[in-house]
Amino acid sequence: MDPQSDIFSSGLKVDATAKEHIRGLASWAMLVVAATVLGYVLNIAGLIISGGNEPAGPQPEGFSGALLSGEKNVAGTIITVLIGLAVNYFLYRFASTVNGAATAANSEKFGSSFRHLRIYFAITSIFMMLFLLIMLIVVVALL
Amino acid sequence: MEQNQDSSLFGLNVDQAGRAHLAEAARWARFLAIVGFVFCALIVLVGLFFGSLMGTLSGRYGGNPYGDVTATPGLTAVMAIYYVVVALIYFFPCLFLFRFATKMKLSLASNDQEVLNTSFQNLKATFRYMGIVTIVMLVFVILAFLVAFLGAMTAATM
């Protein structure tokens, strides 16, 4: 890129205020990732300690299903954790690169960090939509 | 030391590639926020109609482990309040995210530095809120673990 074009550039800048905000959001995003991963670790630890089964709750007559009996689906938990880790990986990449990119004034790295954030939002949106659809189906089935 | 071509003396310039990534991130953030609002509304509806839902369950499956919920308006009210509180807790990060998205879109369209900064401020608020809620939930989980552990120890020693 021709450095001369910078003089006439009327584009947006990551100024001191923006850098301050970016520093803050990177820290908080990293905290979210750390807390979420810790939550997953505790979840798996709980699963291991309980041996994959929780004590069975009262069984209403005529209704059967692992949901009411309280049995934990080990495979389901592991899949949930793996998906969660995959999603949070992109948030981690965003948090770890955006602050450095803003400080070093590296526009390529800055743009790349927001690409990770975009992927994080995209995957989260898709899973939320799926969850919403399942919830709607369950509610409609119950009515 | 050679400076990055894309940076000015006064800070980092957001180049075309960066603008594209920011625009895409804002688009998905907006979508996620809207899905979140719909989710909040659904949670509130479930809470408000909790009593009748439980009644339908007990009628359909001939028995409910929680008893006849429709005969306990107190429990129905408590569950309704609980769901409304959950929806409220989930509402605010969606609002901050929506604000980030709309302000980012506006700043990219109008090259407004002030609006860009406000957009980053809203994104920071989103993650700050999420961080605090996640930590609070973790504390509850850890407390539950401790209580279960102490209970198991007490049962073992008896």
Side-chain angles (χ1 to χ4, degrees), chain B residues 49-149:
Chain B
F49 294 105
F50 179 80
S52 58
L53 272 172
M54 283 296 115
T56 308
L57 263 178
S58 64
R60 191 169 291 186
Y61 299 108
N64 188 315
Y66 306 104
D68 184 5
V69 177
T70 54
T72 57
L75 177 62
T76 313
V78 165
M79 292 308 293
I81 292 167
Y82 169 75
Y83 277 109
V84 167
V85 167
V86 167
L88 262 177
I89 289 170
Y90 193 69
F91 172 77
F92 286 104
C94 297
L95 178 66
F96 294 135
L97 198 60
F98 187 78
R99 280 185 188 166
F100 154 72
T102 45
K103 293 212 180 286
M104 179 58 72
K105 193 178 162 186
L106 181 64
S107 76
L108 291 173
S110 59
N111 277 337
D112 193 321
Q113 187 64 43
E114 193 77 30
V115 177
L116 177 72
N117 293 345
T118 309
S119 146
F120 283 135
Q121 190 180 19
N122 278 288
L123 187 61
K124 183 173 73 174
T126 307
F127 286 126
R128 180 169 51 207
Y129 191 98
M130 281 168 63
I132 291 167
V133 168
T134 311
I135 287 167
V136 167
M137 280 171 57
L138 256 183
V139 166
F140 278 123
V141 166
I142 291 167
L143 279 173
F145 259 93
L146 282 171
V147 165
F149 180 72

Side-chain angles (χ1 to χ4, degrees), chain A residues 4-107:
Chain A
Q4 285 293 332
S5 69
D6 215 26
I7 298 168
F8 303 106
S9 165
S10 59
L12 293 164
K13 290 177 180 53
V14 178
D15 59 7
T17 310
K19 275 188 191 173
E20 198 59 44
H21 290 317
I22 286 168
R23 198 171 295 128
L25 73 90
S27 304
W28 283 108
M30 196 59 90
L31 184 73
V32 168
V33 171
T36 309
V37 169
L38 183 59
Y40 291 148
V41 168
L42 287 173
N43 200 357
I44 291 172
L47 204 63
I48 292 168
I49 290 166
S50 66
N53 290 311
E54 283 185 357
Q59 291 271 1
E61 202 174 341
F63 190 92
S64 65
L67 206 64
L68 272 188
S69 71
E71 287 181 358
K72 263 193 174 169
N73 185 343
V74 175
T77 305
I78 290 171
I79 288 168
T80 308
V81 167
L82 284 174
I83 291 170
L85 284 174
V87 169
N88 278 283
Y89 167 73
F90 291 105
L91 184 61
Y92 166 76
R93 287 298 305 268
F94 164 71
S96 61
T97 55
V98 73
N99 195 19
T103 308
N106 187 330
S107 61

